[in-house]
Amino acid sequence: MERIEHRACFGGWQDVYGHRSEVLGCDMRFAVYLPPQAAKKPVPVLYWLSGLTCTEQNFITKAGAQRYAAEQGVALVAPDTSPRGEGVADAEGYDLGIGAGFYINATREPWARHYRMHDYVVHELPALIEAHCPVTNARAVSGHSMGGHGALTIALRNPGRYRSVSAFSPIVAPSQVPWGEKAFAAYLGDDREAWKAWDATELVQTASERLPLLIDQGDADEFLRTQLRPHLLKTAAEAAGHPLTLRMQPGYDHSYYFIASFIGEHIAYHAAALRS
Amino acid sequence: MERIEHRACFGGWQDVYGHRSEVLGCDMRFAVYLPPQAAKKPVPVLYWLSGLTCTEQNFITKAGAQRYAAEQGVALVAPDTSPRGEGVADAEGYDLGIGAGFYINATREPWARHYRMHDYVVHELPALIEAHCPVTNARAVSGHSMGGHGALTIALRNPGRYRSVSAFSPIVAPSQVPWGEKAFAAYLGDDREAWKAWDATELVQTASERLPLLIDQGDADEFLRTQLRPHLLKTAAEAAGHPLTLRMQPGYDHSYYFIASFIGEHIAYHAAALRS
């Protein structure tokens, strides 16, 4: 892996690396924030999954998360949101193809060759981080919108792998909303049975591990009623007895100003779980 | 003035407005962050002046300043960095013309007609803010790079108008560095005597008000030795008996990661002066 950016930040370092991903079959970038504590001993890691159209840059430049990570002694890792580069399939629109990997493993061509963001985020990237950075194997995961869907599904699909999970403004039921239906039909095909393995509202009904789900959602979010619909997950979690905290935040929208306002609480929440 | 953005942030509101500037002769945008305290009573204002190439967006999306403004009960106002739009003169390169107003009043054509950022920032904009927003007339000023030069010169030129001033990585001696020489030659002409009225290192020698200057400067800043040269101001301030604190911050560069790391200390510093 090759270091592309290296910037002092809150006493630690905000870095960006490039590497060849075997899982995705393309060159990828990811961001790592190492808090000051990492200079002395390995620290746990919070993985952050961004939303549609984002790269590894959005979270590290806009969320103001480094201050809290430095306070709590937690590393932050932010991957890109899809495979990228020459030969990678793409489509018209911001909600399919490049910038819209949905953190799943595609099974349909032309997507199946590169679009394997689940395996990249869950396996290849942590193995790389844990081999080359001063971090432990204690992991937490969070994300925003499409990345909130990614965090929830990845935690639910991989019991024991994450100490904690949270999400901002997540897509919780992709099988039931336009963004998810469009992406899943392309990446997975028309058989909706196959979609269930990538849908938090389905996964929560049969989860073997009762990892609590923490969700913050702005009630002025422009996508709340059409694409996000967090009550679908809340109802399913209640029926299944799966612990979920859904906090509706009055006045907040879908932007990074919302994330910035509450990321400190999420990082403190993850840090407590990562220390335990 | 017309509201273009309105987003909840740390319990307050991050707004962006558009308006017709009489001083600049064009339409302008500026950002206002109103902390939660402003819903109950008027709050003081910190004006933030951004650097080359920036708009009103850079500071509000990247500095993470709203958290501290919400803690301290201070409004933040971030104008654009130059006049902008059809009919406004421009030049090749990022360091002259649009995005590079240098917070001065130009006297040479084609610049003199629109490039009057000093009068806009010092007079027209505060009058507008103080007439339409829940703020007091207690003002502080800070900025980055070209905007650090703006903050220092504006405070030194306008005794009694600002309670406090600070700067990140400022251009302190524009008459002696390439960025400043190029801009001043264009905006003010070849007579270097006329440049002195817009140069902090000159102004500090005859300042009638001993307003303390607080400067943070990263020692890994890629422009430190060529464009910024803060020791020129330090030497002049010491000779004149003008109070100046120059903090060299080890490892930090010229980016917003540096600003984000120390903006909390600057906002606390300004808040204390604004309360007094």
Side-chain angles (χ1 to χ4, degrees), chain B residues 69-96:
Chain B
E71 283 173 359
Q72 300 283 349
V74 173
L76 305 172
V77 173
D80 203 344
T81 54
S82 76
R84 208 175 277 269
E86 224 175 306
V88 173
D90 197 9
E92 293 286 315
Y94 67 94
D95 52 359
L96 185 66

Short mmCIF file of all heavy atoms in Angstrom, two decimals, chain B residues 69-96:
data_model
loop_
_atom_site.label_atom_id
_atom_site.label_comp_id
_atom_site.label_asym_id
_atom_site.label_seq_id
_atom_site.Cartn_x
_atom_site.Cartn_y
_atom_site.Cartn_z
N ALA B 69 -18.52 27.02 18.44
CA ALA B 69 -19.39 28.21 18.44
C ALA B 69 -20.65 27.94 19.24
O ALA B 69 -21.14 28.83 19.96
CB ALA B 69 -19.73 28.60 17.00
N ALA B 70 -21.17 26.71 19.16
CA ALA B 70 -22.35 26.34 19.94
C ALA B 70 -22.03 26.29 21.43
O ALA B 70 -22.83 26.69 22.27
CB ALA B 70 -22.90 25.00 19.47
N GLU B 71 -20.84 25.81 21.75
CA GLU B 71 -20.44 25.78 23.17
C GLU B 71 -20.27 27.19 23.72
O GLU B 71 -20.63 27.46 24.87
CB GLU B 71 -19.10 25.05 23.31
CG GLU B 71 -19.19 23.53 23.22
CD GLU B 71 -17.82 22.86 23.19
OE1 GLU B 71 -16.77 23.56 23.23
OE2 GLU B 71 -17.80 21.62 23.10
N GLN B 72 -19.74 28.09 22.92
CA GLN B 72 -19.38 29.42 23.40
C GLN B 72 -20.46 30.47 23.16
O GLN B 72 -20.33 31.61 23.64
CB GLN B 72 -18.07 29.88 22.72
CG GLN B 72 -16.88 28.99 22.98
CD GLN B 72 -16.28 29.20 24.37
OE1 GLN B 72 -16.63 30.15 25.07
NE2 GLN B 72 -15.38 28.30 24.77
N GLY B 73 -21.48 30.14 22.40
CA GLY B 73 -22.52 31.13 22.13
C GLY B 73 -22.06 32.26 21.23
O GLY B 73 -22.36 33.43 21.47
N VAL B 74 -21.31 31.92 20.20
CA VAL B 74 -20.79 32.91 19.24
C VAL B 74 -21.32 32.57 17.85
O VAL B 74 -21.31 31.41 17.44
CB VAL B 74 -19.25 32.88 19.23
CG1 VAL B 74 -18.69 33.78 18.14
CG2 VAL B 74 -18.70 33.29 20.59
N ALA B 75 -21.79 33.57 17.11
CA ALA B 75 -22.15 33.38 15.71
C ALA B 75 -20.89 33.41 14.85
O ALA B 75 -19.91 34.08 15.19
CB ALA B 75 -23.12 34.45 15.25
N LEU B 76 -20.93 32.66 13.74
CA LEU B 76 -19.82 32.66 12.77
C LEU B 76 -20.33 33.19 11.44
O LEU B 76 -21.37 32.74 10.96
CB LEU B 76 -19.30 31.23 12.56
CG LEU B 76 -18.87 30.45 13.79
CD1 LEU B 76 -18.58 28.99 13.40
CD2 LEU B 76 -17.64 31.09 14.43
N VAL B 77 -19.60 34.14 10.87
CA VAL B 77 -19.96 34.67 9.55
C VAL B 77 -18.77 34.46 8.62
O VAL B 77 -17.66 34.88 8.93
CB VAL B 77 -20.33 36.15 9.60
CG1 VAL B 77 -20.52 36.71 8.19
CG2 VAL B 77 -21.60 36.36 10.42
N ALA B 78 -19.02 33.78 7.49
CA ALA B 78 -17.95 33.49 6.52
C ALA B 78 -18.34 34.02 5.15
O ALA B 78 -19.20 33.44 4.48
CB ALA B 78 -17.69 31.99 6.44
N PRO B 79 -17.74 35.15 4.73
CA PRO B 79 -18.02 35.67 3.38
C PRO B 79 -17.25 34.90 2.31
O PRO B 79 -16.38 34.07 2.62
CB PRO B 79 -17.54 37.11 3.45
CG PRO B 79 -16.46 37.09 4.48
CD PRO B 79 -16.83 36.01 5.48
N ASP B 80 -17.55 35.19 1.07
CA ASP B 80 -16.77 34.71 -0.07
C ASP B 80 -15.42 35.43 -0.06
O ASP B 80 -15.20 36.35 0.73
CB ASP B 80 -17.55 34.97 -1.36
CG ASP B 80 -17.12 34.05 -2.50
OD1 ASP B 80 -16.05 33.43 -2.43
OD2 ASP B 80 -17.88 33.98 -3.50
N THR B 81 -14.50 35.02 -0.95
CA THR B 81 -13.15 35.58 -0.94
C THR B 81 -12.90 36.64 -2.02
O THR B 81 -11.79 37.16 -2.11
CB THR B 81 -12.11 34.46 -1.11
OG1 THR B 81 -12.43 33.73 -2.30
CG2 THR B 81 -12.10 33.54 0.08
N SER B 82 -13.91 36.92 -2.81
CA SER B 82 -13.75 37.96 -3.84
C SER B 82 -15.12 38.27 -4.40
O SER B 82 -16.06 37.51 -4.19
CB SER B 82 -12.85 37.48 -4.99
OG SER B 82 -13.56 36.58 -5.83
N PRO B 83 -15.25 39.37 -5.16
CA PRO B 83 -16.45 39.52 -5.98
C PRO B 83 -16.49 38.37 -6.99
O PRO B 83 -15.48 37.71 -7.23
CB PRO B 83 -16.25 40.87 -6.66
CG PRO B 83 -14.79 41.11 -6.63
CD PRO B 83 -14.29 40.45 -5.37
N ARG B 84 -17.65 38.13 -7.55
CA ARG B 84 -17.83 36.94 -8.38
C ARG B 84 -18.99 37.19 -9.32
O ARG B 84 -19.94 37.88 -8.97
CB ARG B 84 -18.15 35.76 -7.46
CG ARG B 84 -17.74 34.39 -7.94
CD ARG B 84 -18.02 33.34 -6.86
NE ARG B 84 -16.98 33.25 -5.85
CZ ARG B 84 -15.94 32.42 -5.92
NH1 ARG B 84 -15.79 31.64 -6.95
NH2 ARG B 84 -15.03 32.39 -4.96
N GLY B 85 -18.94 36.60 -10.52
CA GLY B 85 -20.08 36.66 -11.42
C GLY B 85 -19.77 37.39 -12.71
O GLY B 85 -18.65 37.89 -12.92
N GLU B 86 -20.77 37.47 -13.55
CA GLU B 86 -20.61 38.08 -14.87
C GLU B 86 -20.15 39.54 -14.74
O GLU B 86 -20.68 40.29 -13.94
CB GLU B 86 -21.95 38.05 -15.61
CG GLU B 86 -21.82 37.63 -17.06
CD GLU B 86 -23.18 37.49 -17.71
OE1 GLU B 86 -24.03 36.75 -17.17
OE2 GLU B 86 -23.38 38.15 -18.75
N GLY B 87 -19.16 39.91 -15.55
CA GLY B 87 -18.69 41.28 -15.53
C GLY B 87 -17.60 41.55 -14.52
O GLY B 87 -17.00 42.63 -14.53
N VAL B 88 -17.32 40.59 -13.64
CA VAL B 88 -16.25 40.76 -12.66
C VAL B 88 -14.92 40.33 -13.30
O VAL B 88 -14.82 39.22 -13.83
CB VAL B 88 -16.53 39.93 -11.38
CG1 VAL B 88 -15.34 39.97 -10.44
CG2 VAL B 88 -17.78 40.44 -10.69
N ALA B 89 -13.92 41.20 -13.24
CA ALA B 89 -12.63 40.91 -13.85
C ALA B 89 -12.01 39.66 -13.24
O ALA B 89 -12.21 39.38 -12.06
CB ALA B 89 -11.68 42.10 -13.67
N ASP B 90 -11.26 38.94 -14.05
CA ASP B 90 -10.58 37.73 -13.56
C ASP B 90 -9.24 37.64 -14.27
O ASP B 90 -8.93 38.43 -15.18
CB ASP B 90 -11.44 36.49 -13.81
CG ASP B 90 -10.99 35.29 -12.97
OD1 ASP B 90 -10.13 35.46 -12.08
OD2 ASP B 90 -11.50 34.20 -13.21
N ALA B 91 -8.41 36.68 -13.85
CA ALA B 91 -7.09 36.50 -14.45
C ALA B 91 -6.75 35.03 -14.46
O ALA B 91 -7.36 34.24 -13.75
CB ALA B 91 -6.04 37.28 -13.65
N GLU B 92 -5.77 34.65 -15.24
CA GLU B 92 -5.23 33.29 -15.19
C GLU B 92 -4.65 33.04 -13.80
O GLU B 92 -4.10 33.94 -13.18
CB GLU B 92 -4.11 33.13 -16.22
CG GLU B 92 -4.55 33.20 -17.66
CD GLU B 92 -5.30 31.95 -18.10
OE1 GLU B 92 -4.84 30.84 -17.79
OE2 GLU B 92 -6.35 32.11 -18.76
N GLY B 93 -4.75 31.81 -13.34
CA GLY B 93 -4.10 31.46 -12.08
C GLY B 93 -5.04 31.63 -10.90
O GLY B 93 -5.99 32.39 -10.95
N TYR B 94 -4.74 30.87 -9.84
CA TYR B 94 -5.63 30.86 -8.66
C TYR B 94 -5.36 32.03 -7.73
O TYR B 94 -6.13 32.25 -6.80
CB TYR B 94 -5.43 29.55 -7.89
CG TYR B 94 -4.05 29.44 -7.26
CD1 TYR B 94 -3.85 29.83 -5.94
CD2 TYR B 94 -2.95 29.00 -7.98
CE1 TYR B 94 -2.58 29.77 -5.36
CE2 TYR B 94 -1.70 28.94 -7.42
CZ TYR B 94 -1.51 29.33 -6.12
OH TYR B 94 -0.26 29.28 -5.55
N ASP B 95 -4.28 32.80 -7.97
CA ASP B 95 -3.84 33.77 -6.97
C ASP B 95 -4.07 35.22 -7.38
O ASP B 95 -3.49 36.14 -6.80
CB ASP B 95 -2.36 33.53 -6.62
CG ASP B 95 -1.46 33.49 -7.85
OD1 ASP B 95 -1.98 33.61 -8.97
OD2 ASP B 95 -0.25 33.31 -7.69
N LEU B 96 -4.95 35.43 -8.38
CA LEU B 96 -5.32 36.79 -8.76
C LEU B 96 -6.73 36.75 -9.34
O LEU B 96 -7.08 35.83 -10.07
CB LEU B 96 -4.35 37.34 -9.82
CG LEU B 96 -4.57 38.81 -10.22
CD1 LEU B 96 -4.29 39.75 -9.05
CD2 LEU B 96 -3.67 39.18 -11.41
#
